[in-house]
Amino acid sequence: MGETVELDRLTMRFGDFTAVRNVDLTIQAGEFFSFLGPSGCGKTTILRCISGFIEPSEGRVLIGGRDMKGIGPNLRPTALIFQNLALFPLMSVADNIAFGLEVRGVGRAERRKRAEELLDLIALPDSADKRIAELSGGQKQRVAIARALAVEPKVMLLDEPLSALDLKLRQHMRAELRAIQRRTGVTFIYITHDQGEAFTMSDRVAVMSRGSIEQVGKPADIYDRPQSEFAATFVGENNRFEGALAALDGADGVVETNVGALRGRVVGDGLKPGDRAVLYVRPERLALANGGADAANRISARVTHADFEGAFANVFLRDAQGRALILQLANDGNLPALDTGAELRLGFASAQAIIVPPGERARE
Amino acid sequence: MSELLRRYGLPLTTAMTLATLVWVVMMVVLPYFVMVEYSFHRNLTVTEIGGPRDVYTLENYASLFRGTDLTAWEFSDDFRVFLRTIWGSALVTFVCLVVCYPVAYYLALGTSKERAAFMLVLLVIPFWINEILRTFAWFILLAYNGPLNAVLQGMGIIDAPVRWLSGSGGVIIGMTYAFLLFMMFPLYNAIETLDRNQVEAARDLGASTWRVHWRVVVPHAKPGVAVGCIMVFVLAASSYIVPYLLGSPGTRWFTQTIYEWFFEASDWPRGAAYAFILLGLCVAFIMVMMRVFKVGLTDIAK
């Protein structure tokens, strides 16, 4: 079973550069937790602090309530899966898997038995005596997982291990990782810049930017209620309207934009009337309002081009102020003509939009 | 060949091929052939040439072992020198390996690329000086009244000066120094190609430092170890100047024996035979290393 991992005011500096800034976080035992962020946001640094390859400049890492200060990576109850897997090419598959047992002084026969059990678990029987070079990408992936599981870690750390695989295999491995995590009950901490990976596998996700955590929550919370501009723009596509906050009305707010007043839910803290504010609405939450549907907000825009994907269509538009917008229409069999230059009237309910204070946005 | 013809035409191709052929025959094949031929002759006086004693024989090779009785643990002088050369060269090789491995590991994985490059240059600079001068510097350093004894005495580590140059110690130290880089670079090159993540993965799975090296770094560095050992052993076994300068009469090297047969005893056939025995020793060592480290010629060529 897994253990909790607590990060207590964790800060990591390399010279003048602060890679991780004051991170406070508790990851529950048996949780599948992901750190999601662009490269250079500090997520790998956090992982290396937890695994013990670097000591934090300030703050503490606690695993199962025990302070890990001064405990080397070989003595921590963690197992790390590297981005490039780092399998030992000169050892057989079985020796790779049993390496952690070998260093713990487990006898040869017992090691062999455990390796074969784990090979069954990862659905790779009869591969014990193969060389690493004989395996495919997905098989190597599984051997790396088995090698990490062999030492019965309390916490499994995964550093973008799927990034080298092709799309099909990646999607398959997501399900497999999730299944293995459920079966073993080990705490999984997963690092990725791919929101699809983070969302499909994780119980909770932390969105990171510039060494700080922007938001922690369930995948649906992160997607539906991003609490900062960064979270709103890094995760998924979004349409952005900036203006002054005209009024607050309970949980709702009205932003006076250059295409009119738009109403949404205020999720960012500390916004007062008169402040600059930004309203975001997802492409699939925009609806066609040609039939005069009852929507709180209305905009009109012209089509620049449309990509028909089959189940849905992505429509790229510009509004009266030249702002680029994106609309995702589900294909219900009645898609309107989406010719370039066609004018569409769009609407969305206030519950579908969020209002946050202006801040840093994720770069495309 | 056809590629050469297509590219340079017939005249130039012919010229290049001939030049290569001449070079190989004149510089490589003929000298060796002459020496091989010599080694199977008796050392004859002018009047004996063409006479009944002028036949091919293995006497010169056998003479190394004459007077050696293994059951009585008795060795001929030359054979004793030969054994000492094997033992001494093996010791130099081992000391070089032990000294170089930590340094090569540090340079390859323990520091930044720029610092490693800088330190490698520092390592190379002394080797821009002629080998004889460097060896002579050790002669001065190790002298009875030399700086090493003075420093050690000054620090109170030894009470009386040590005669470094009277046993084999001077030769071993001098050779270790002289051939250090031939171990360093193959080792560095081999370890440098190891993915750092492999070291971290082993560590993360619970391996101690010792075991990380034994199970991950050393197996990866094997071809480098083999190349380094071969280089150092062959250079040590065929070194002349270091034992000449740093050795004592009791620690002659086989190369000195060969030199003496050639130029002091004027017995070229026997000198040639001994030289081929030394060559055979080196080839045998190379083959043993390739077998022990399970590396092929292609790994070594890298």
Side-chain angles (χ1 to χ4, degrees), chain B:
Chain B
M1 200 65 175
S2 57
E3 171 69 14
L4 274 180
L5 267 176
R6 193 184 59 72
R7 217 182 255 194
Y8 299 112
L10 187 63
L12 201 53
T13 307
T14 315
M16 285 196 296
T17 315
L18 274 180
T20 314
L21 215 62
V22 167
W23 192 85
V24 169
V25 170
M26 297 291 286
M27 309 291 224
V28 183
V29 178
L30 274 183
Y32 269 87
F33 185 78
V34 169
M35 292 318 277
V36 170
E37 221 265 333
Y38 256 106
S39 71
F40 291 109
H41 271 296
R42 293 205 174 90
N43 195 25
L44 302 172
T45 59
V46 181
T47 50
E48 280 177 315
I49 291 173
R53 274 171 55 76
D54 191 0
V55 287
Y56 289 117
T57 168
L58 286 170
E59 264 175 34
N60 294 313
Y61 289 90
S63 64
L64 176 64
F65 308 99
R66 192 168 304 132
T68 297
D69 182 359
L70 287 176
T71 52
W73 206 245
E74 272 177 19
F75 305 98
S76 68
D77 284 350
D78 288 351
F79 193 55
R80 187 176 300 126
V81 173
F82 183 66
L83 292 179
R84 183 192 299 130
T85 303
I86 298 177
W87 160 242
S89 301
L91 184 61
V92 168
T93 307
F94 179 73
V95 173
C96 274
L97 182 61
V98 169
V99 170
C100 287
Y101 180 83
V103 181
Y105 177 78
Y106 175 76
L107 290 176
L109 296 180
T111 187
S112 68
K113 282 263 179 291
E114 297 75 38
R115 285 195 48 176
F118 178 67
M119 285 191 266
L120 284 170
V121 169
L122 290 187
L123 277 175
V124 171
I125 285 174
F127 287 78
W128 292 348
I129 300 167
N130 182 288
E131 186 189 349
I132 298 174
L133 282 178
R134 275 183 289 125
T135 309
F136 204 74
W138 276 103
F139 181 76
I140 297 168
L141 283 173
L142 298 174
Y144 186 70
N145 288 320
L148 182 63
N149 275 333
V151 168
L152 289 178
Q153 269 184 297
M155 288 166 71
I157 295 172
I158 53 174
D159 295 328
V162 178
R163 290 198 183 275
W164 300 104
L165 295 172
S166 67
S168 299
V171 180
I172 303 298
I173 293 172
M175 284 198 185
T176 301
Y177 172 75
F179 306 132
L180 206 62
L181 289 194
F182 294 93
M183 182 67 85
M184 188 69 80
F185 279 99
L187 270 185
Y188 169 78
N189 286 335
I191 299 175
E192 205 242 328
T193 58
L194 178 65
D195 174 14
R196 264 168 225 244
N197 284 352
Q198 300 247 321
V199 175
E200 293 197 340
R203 192 121 187 92
D204 188 62
L205 290 166
S208 59
T209 307
W210 183 86
R211 200 183 282 268
V212 170
H213 282 275
W214 188 243
R215 288 291 274 139
V216 178
V217 186
V218 171
H220 178 86
K222 253 188 191 171
V225 174
V227 173
C229 288
I230 287 170
M231 297 268 247
V232 172
F233 183 89
V234 169
L235 286 169
S238 57
S239 170
Y240 180 77
I241 198 72
V242 178
Y244 178 73
L245 284 176
L246 299 180
S248 56
T251 62
R252 272 190 326 159
W253 219 241
F254 198 57
T255 47
Q256 291 171 291
T257 303
I258 295 172
Y259 179 89
E260 283 157 13
W261 280 113
F262 265 104
F263 301 111
E264 274 157 41
S266 287
D267 189 346
W268 280 43
R270 193 189 280 209
Y274 279 22
F276 282 109
I277 289 172
L278 184 62
L279 178 66
L281 168 70
C282 293
V283 171
F285 182 81
I286 291 171
M287 286 164 68
V288 167
M289 290 312 275
M290 282 166 62
R291 180 63 60 85
V292 167
F293 287 97
K294 295 193 182 76
V295 292
L297 276 175
T298 46
D299 295 316
I300 291 175
K302 270 190 271 184

Side-chain angles (χ1 to χ4, degrees), chain A residues 70-323:
Chain A
I71 298 176
N74 53 335
L75 300 173
R76 296 195 182 190
T78 58
L80 175 57
I81 296 185
F82 290 79
Q83 188 161 10
N84 68 354
L85 307 180
L87 294 171
F88 306 124
L90 301 174
M91 299 181 202
S92 70
V93 168
D95 283 351
N96 261 279
I97 293 174
F99 183 81
L101 303 173
E102 180 193 323
V103 305
R104 283 162 178 75
V106 176
R108 185 180 294 269
E110 175 67 18
R111 293 205 306 259
R112 180 77 190 188
K113 192 168 141 272
R114 278 295 290 151
E116 277 172 3
E117 283 169 16
L118 283 160
L119 280 167
D120 280 341
L121 178 82
I122 58 169
L124 266 185
D126 307 321
S127 301
D129 297 313
K130 283 191 181 161
R131 291 183 307 126
I132 295 298
E134 292 174 62
L135 303 180
S136 71
Q139 290 172 330
K140 284 183 192 160
Q141 189 72 57
R142 288 184 217 171
V143 171
I145 294 165
R147 183 176 71 173
L149 285 173
V151 300
E152 292 174 5
K154 305 291 183 203
V155 179
M156 185 87 112
L157 306 167
L158 303 98
D159 186 3
E160 305 207 29
L162 304 186
S163 55
L165 304 181
D166 60 54
L167 183 65
K168 262 261 159 56
L169 200 50
R170 205 151 65 216
Q171 286 172 340
H172 175 73
M173 286 308 296
R174 285 178 191 172
E176 202 144 316
L177 274 177
R178 183 66 174 144
I180 288 171
Q181 192 267 336
R182 287 258 167 77
R183 203 150 56 218
T184 57
V186 172
T187 310
F188 269 46
I189 301 180
Y190 195 93
I191 295 289
T192 183
H193 62 269
D194 180 331
Q195 57 156 343
E197 275 178 20
F199 283 1
T200 48
M201 292 189 286
S202 312
D203 296 313
R204 284 192 305 156
V205 175
V207 179
M208 285 194 71
S209 165
R210 290 175 181 248
S212 301
I213 290 182
E214 293 274 329
Q215 187 172 354
V216 181
K218 295 195 169 87
D221 283 342
I222 302 269
Y223 189 80
D224 292 340
R225 284 176 291 282
Q227 276 162 10
S228 67
E229 275 219 78
F230 184 86
T233 48
F234 185 73
V235 176
E237 296 284 340
N238 235 326
N239 293 302
R240 179 177 192 273
F241 300 90
E242 188 173 353
L245 189 65
L248 279 173
D249 173 13
D252 282 2
V254 177
V255 178
E256 203 62 59
T257 72
N258 57 9
V259 287
L262 297 175
R263 179 178 274 267
R265 278 175 314 145
V266 178
V267 292
D269 290 334
L271 275 175
K272 302 185 299 294
D275 288 351
R276 296 297 294 173
V278 186
L279 178 141
Y280 279 102
V281 60
R282 298 274 184 202
E284 72 279 9
R285 307 286 162 83
L286 284 173
L288 291 175
N290 286 343
D294 181 27
N297 303 291
R298 282 168 186 272
I299 330 160
S300 64
R302 285 184 187 282
V303 176
T304 33
H305 74 279
D307 292 340
F308 179 70
E309 299 269 358
F312 59 90
N314 285 323
V315 188
F316 299 89
L317 314 108
R318 285 199 185 276
D319 68 11
Q321 300 294 329
R323 178 188 286 110

Side-chain angles (χ1 to χ4, degrees), chain A residues 332-344:
Chain A
D332 56 0
N334 293 313
L335 280 181
L338 297 169
D339 302 326
T340 299
E343 179 153 10
L344 298 182

